Amino acid sequence: MRILVTGATGVVGTEVVSCLLAAGRPPDLTLTRVARRPADSSIVCWDIGGRPPPPELAGHWDVIVHAAASTRWTLSREEAVTANIRPLRAVLALADRSTHLVHISTAYVAGARDLEDPRGVPFDGYRNGYEWSKALGESIVRDTHRGPLTLVRPPLVVGRRHSGEISRFSGPYTLLQALVSGLAAVVVGDPDGYAEISPVNDVAAAVTAAVLATPPATPRTEVIAGGRASLRLATLLDITCRTINECRAEAGAAPIAQPPIVSGDSWDRFFLPLAEQYLSPFQSQAVKLLAMFQSYTSMDTPFEPTWPVDAPGEVMAASVRHWAARKPRLALASPVPWKMIGTTG
């Protein structure tokens, strides 16, 4: 059984490889890892979509796990094509009719689309280039790949369930740094809105199960989510701030204040114009990025999971503790409140 994993050094790819190696795989299984910037010679170097595939990738693949992607929310349409669509087409060229393609997408391709929202105009109603490229990617694989197909849709990904470990701090970890730095003067959203998260090892477990199972006769979609058991925004913020302050207390640092939650309407009417007019360019860009969390942590309706995420509160707390242990200078920093340009004191 010959398996290829792209994006093998990324957040999900690293965990998938670890999970596959620990799964008691068949003796005839060979696992090939691919990354654009490999950590060592055991990983095949390939700038997917930018260069032809290296000779090591020739031949039939029983399973291809496509985990390589840019998850940056600020991607332009052109950047999203370069980062996510061209690499997907290059990977599809390696598959044949009997290759089981396990494609890592995102749960948010099934979320709300607003064609009237100015932010969604370049992206066919999706909130950003990442979501748009993932939705387009799903359409491409359904139309192009003639073999078995599994789509895996995770929500926001955080650290491992019990230890909080993760290979890289990105995405939702932006909120942690903003809280301790003082940039998160407010949190935008609905306190009762759903905030879907998943530990990275749950995502890897779902992928591993798909890889080792009999390939599906028809395309299968695996949705990793808490559903009605997912956290609400107010609870997510409570857990995050409380855990940060527990870590700070253990190190003798003063607690941070928990910022208020403001509605999206209040943000658009008051805080956003304030940021654009008075904050420094760095502060303004930071708070705009934080505002993008609104649509991810204030969902009116949760996802319907096929792979349920249990105890998300414990997962979030473990992730915060691990981040604080790995980033002590950030976690113990003294928050600096917003300061308007041209003001004193």
Side-chain angles (χ1 to χ4, degrees):
M1 186 179 190
R2 193 169 179 237
I3 300 174
L4 174 66
V5 178
T6 69
T9 58
V11 168
V12 172
T14 297
E15 198 70 19
V16 167
V17 169
S18 177
C19 197
L20 282 169
L21 293 176
R25 62 193 192 281
D28 63 339
L29 186 149
T30 61
L31 179 62
T32 301
R33 297 173 291 163
V34 167
R36 187 174 59 179
R37 291 185 291 270
D40 56 63
S41 59
S42 68
I43 303 173
V44 177
C45 179
W46 183 23
D47 180 9
I48 309 177
R51 294 181 178 276
E56 302 96 307
L57 303 186
H60 168 70
W61 294 99
D62 295 289
V63 183
I64 296 177
V65 178
H66 184 46
S70 172
T71 60
R72 186 161 55 89
W73 292 342
T74 55
L75 291 169
S76 68
R77 189 176 178 117
E78 182 179 353
E79 288 171 333
V81 169
T82 300
N84 293 336
I85 301 304
R86 289 178 185 167
L88 172 60
R89 293 189 184 279
V91 169
L92 285 169
L94 299 179
D96 57 41
R97 296 183 68 91
S98 60
T99 300
H100 180 193
L101 177 64
V102 181
H103 177 62
I104 314 298
S105 184
T106 175
Y108 300 100
V109 299
R113 294 173 65 187
D114 187 352
L115 294 171
E116 297 182 0
D117 188 334
R119 293 170 298 182
V121 170
F123 307 117
D124 302 332
Y126 288 99
R127 293 168 291 196
N128 52 59
Y130 167 65
E131 283 185 18
W132 170 79
S133 66
K134 283 299 186 180
L136 178 58
E138 286 198 10
S139 177
I140 290 170
V141 296
R142 288 182 184 276
D143 292 343
T144 305
H145 183 57
R146 300 308 177 195
L149 173 63
T150 299
L151 299 169
V152 180
R153 294 177 171 177
L156 295 176
V157 177
V158 295
R160 289 178 181 171
R161 173 170 296 280
H162 299 297
S163 67
E165 292 174 283
I166 194 167
S167 65
R168 187 180 307 157
F169 298 116
S170 60
Y173 290 91
T174 305
L175 176 61
L176 306 187
Q177 183 170 344
L179 287 169
V180 297
S181 69
L183 281 174
V186 298
V187 172
V188 184
D190 175 5
D192 292 323
Y194 291 96
E196 290 273 20
I197 62 170
S198 171
V200 66
N201 52 327
D202 278 24
V203 180
V207 172
T208 299
V211 168
L212 299 180
T214 302
T218 57
R220 173 176 171 77
T221 300
E222 196 78 81
V223 179
I224 305 164
R228 294 289 172 183
S230 64
L231 296 174
R232 306 297 181 108
L233 175 57
T235 304
L236 174 72
L237 185 60
D238 286 344
I239 291 171
T240 300
C241 291
R242 183 173 67 247
T243 307
I244 287 174
N245 283 332
E246 288 171 357
C247 296
R248 291 173 68 90
E250 292 169 1
I256 62 169
Q258 182 166 320
I261 298 174
V262 302
S263 68
D265 183 66
S266 294
W267 170 261
D268 291 336
R269 289 175 178 271
F270 176 70
F271 289 98
L272 184 56
L274 185 72
E276 292 174 338
Q277 185 172 0
Y278 294 110
L279 296 183
S280 71
F282 172 76
Q283 289 175 315
S284 181
Q285 182 62 30
V287 296
K288 288 177 183 178
L289 183 61
L290 287 172
M292 296 180 74
F293 276 99
Q294 174 190 359
S295 53
Y296 291 95
T297 56
S298 297
M299 297 166 54
D300 293 332
T301 305
F303 298 122
E304 291 291 338
T306 62
W307 191 284
V309 173
D310 298 323
E314 296 176 10
V315 170
M316 191 66 202
S319 295
V320 173
R321 290 191 194 97
H322 178 69
W323 173 84
R326 291 289 304 274
K327 301 286 186 180
R329 290 184 62 184
L330 289 176
L332 303 178
S334 298
V336 178
W338 285 15
K339 185 174 182 180
M340 309 304 177
I341 294 176
T343 65
T344 60

